[in-house]
Amino acid sequence: MSITYLDHAASTPMRPEAIEAMMPFLADTYANPSGAHRFARQARKAIDESRDIVAAALGCRPNEVVFTGCGTESDNMAITGALTHSPGVAVCPADEHHAVLEVVEHHGGVVVGVDAAGRVDLDALAGVLDDLTARDVAVAIVSVMTVNNEVGSINDLAEVAKLIRRHAPGALLHTDAVQAPCWIDLREVTPHVDLLALSGHKFGGPKGVG
């Protein structure tokens, strides 16, 4: 009997080239990359090269790439870190992944509506940002996903960025791009956002890499 796996939006099988690239680190290259000896330097070199590859795929600088345990951790770190660095509120659409939505709600943020296609309602977002400004409430971060993980809707991050610069110029723009790499060239998204989250297992990489 032939079985076809169709749940790639949840998690993908590892690509053969990803398995091949990881094998040395599952068997022979096991040192702590923070060490000073030869084995540690080998591990450190591999991490640095991986960071270069990710940066090239995103169109950003290598020192802007931070490896985490998963996409959820990346989303949490971005939003919580922004709120810690710049006191204010977080804002996100109602159809965000729970990794974003629950963090925004936990911190007393504001949730805005979406349109019939599941994209952020730009008029509603502008209204919320204007209302917060009128009440002298700072907006620390706005989070809008690139591709919806349930219905596949794509948000125009360039338009979202323009809106935020007009209505909340001090706010950071974060995007959960976990579902995006298989469909969108992220080098076209990165210039418009301040923070972007990925997860390796969504596009052929191993679990446990965000």
Side-chain angles (χ1 to χ4, degrees), residues 96 118-120 143-149 152-157 174-181 183-186 188-190 193 195-198:
E96 287 291 315
R119 293 183 291 264
V120 61
S143 183
V144 177
M145 63 170 44
T146 306
V147 178
N148 185 279
N149 58 295
S153 305
I154 299 174
N155 283 298
D156 186 339
L157 271 299
H174 164 260
T175 188
D176 178 339
V178 165
Q179 292 291 344
W183 313 105
I184 292 176
D185 184 347
L186 291 176
E188 297 177 1
V189 175
T190 300
V193 302
L195 299 156
L196 182 150
L198 291 176

Side-chain angles (χ1 to χ4, degrees), residues 21 39 74 123:
F39 301 106
S74 297
D123 290 335

